[in-house]
């Protein structure tokens, strides 16, 4: 698949088949983070990989699903695995370095996951303390992002933004299948200069 086609296919998914994701596949996805660029090459991000049923069902409640719309996934639509990114920022690098490193790692992992037939999302770790105690990780670490991983049951369809409305919407097709419509601005609206 061409790189642009893979980028277009790699969307945010919020409902999944209720099946396990093998640790071997999580390790393949992790390679995307392994070879990411890193500010000053400090490599201060750390990762927790889990496909444990009990941990996954708790993590499902430690993030906010689809804050823009009323629909929320049910527990039988939950993902089969998560990768969580942490930092203890030992070098006290500026926050823009941390967030940029985190974004690069997330997107690299998303591209690999998509190429393996999985769907993912990037989610704010809202209940940070709960996540640290659930995973038995020292408080010197901060959870930066949570990435659910599973076989998606929603198809994401990119549309054009109309009337400046960028809200995504969801159509229930029955039997846990959905269309999710995601408006994107045009290239002309994004580019403010070109010489
Ligand atoms: C920084 C960031 C934070 C996000 N946080 C959440 C989140 O907490 N919950 C959620 O359901 N989706 C979250 N998303 C997914 C966005 O809503 C999604 O990227 C957006 O609707 C566009 O859809 P697309 O990724 O398919 O293009 C997040 C995405 C990004 C980039």
């Amino acid at each position: 698949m061409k790189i642009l086609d893979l980028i277009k296919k790699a969307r945010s998914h919020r409902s999944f088949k209720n099946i396990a994701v093998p640790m071997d596949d999580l390790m393949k996805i992790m390679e995307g983070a392994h070879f990411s660029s890193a500010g000053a090459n400090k490599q201060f991000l750390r990762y927790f990989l889990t496909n444990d049923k009990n941990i996954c069902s708790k993590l499902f409640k430690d993030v906010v699903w689809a804050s823009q719309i009323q629909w929320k996934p049910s527990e039988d639509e939950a993902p089969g695995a998560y990768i969580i990114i942490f930092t203890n920022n030992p070098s006290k690098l500026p926050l823009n370095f941390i967030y940029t490193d985190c974004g690069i790692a997330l997107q690299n992992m998303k591209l690999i996951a998509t190429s393996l037939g999985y769907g993912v999302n990037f989610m704010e770790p809202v209940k940070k303390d709960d996540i640290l105690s659930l995973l038995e990780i020292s408080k010197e670490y901060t959870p930066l992002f949570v990435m659910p991983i599973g076989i998606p049951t929603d198809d994401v369809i990119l549309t054009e933004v109309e009337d400046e409305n960028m809200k995504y919407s969801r159509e229930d097709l029955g039997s846990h299948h959905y269309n999710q419509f995601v408006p994107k601005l045009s290239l002309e609206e994004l580019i403010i200069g070109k010489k």
Side-chain angles (χ1 to χ4, degrees):
M1 192 184 282
K2 279 196 208 151
I3 185 79
L4 181 58
D5 291 333
L6 182 61
I7 291 169
K8 283 183 177 170
K9 193 164 186 260
R11 307 261 55 92
S12 298
H13 297 276
R14 298 187 177 87
S15 56
F16 304 88
K17 285 186 187 164
N18 197 354
I19 51 172
V21 177
M23 188 53 77
D24 280 356
D25 284 350
L26 296 184
M27 289 298 287
K28 286 179 194 159
I29 293 167
M30 185 61 210
E31 292 290 9
H34 187 188
F35 295 110
S36 287
S37 293
N41 203 29
K42 295 285 186 191
Q43 304 171 70
F44 47 69
L45 301 180
R46 294 293 179 267
Y47 301 82
F48 194 103
L49 286 59
T50 183
N51 60 3
D52 178 275
K53 265 195 160 185
N54 184 38
I55 293 177
C56 287
S57 75
K58 289 187 173 136
L59 281 171
F60 183 67
K61 299 182 187 94
D62 288 337
V63 291
V64 175
W65 294 89
S67 64
Q68 302 294 301
I69 55 176
Q70 285 213 318
W71 174 91
K72 306 291 165 207
S74 59
E75 286 191 29
D76 54 0
E77 296 173 320
Y82 290 84
I83 295 179
I84 305 102
I85 306 188
F86 298 86
T87 188
N88 62 353
N89 193 12
S91 310
K92 302 289 169 260
L93 284 167
L95 285 181
N96 59 340
F97 274 49
I98 297 180
Y99 294 136
T100 304
D101 278 18
C102 188
I104 293 168
L106 283 168
Q107 184 69 13
N108 281 353
M109 290 195 287
K110 187 192 225 185
L111 292 174
I112 295 181
T114 305
S115 74
L116 293 173
Y118 292 109
V120 312
N121 202 341
F122 304 152
M123 311 197 71
E124 253 195 289
V126 185
K127 297 185 184 166
K128 291 188 173 48
D129 289 341
D130 289 2
I131 292 173
L132 288 175
S133 60
L134 173 67
L135 304 179
E136 299 176 327
I137 290 176
S138 149
K139 280 198 185 263
E140 77 185 80
Y141 287 94
T142 307
L144 292 175
F145 257 90
V146 175
M147 191 170 81
I149 303 163
I151 304 290
T153 60
D154 49 3
D155 284 328
V156 182
I157 297 139
L158 299 180
T159 62
E160 286 175 19
V161 173
E162 281 175 25
D163 301 327
E164 298 181 11
N165 182 6
M166 288 175 229
K167 214 173 186 179
Y168 51 83
S169 57
R170 210 164 162 96
E171 179 188 15
D172 190 340
L173 303 173
S175 314
H176 299 298
H177 282 84
Y178 305 87
N179 281 333
Q180 171 135 315
F181 300 97
V182 180
K184 293 289 181 194
L185 293 168
S186 66
L187 268 185
E188 289 70 28
E189 287 165 301
L190 289 178
I191 298 169
I192 57 165
K194 206 160 98 178
K195 277 188 182 172

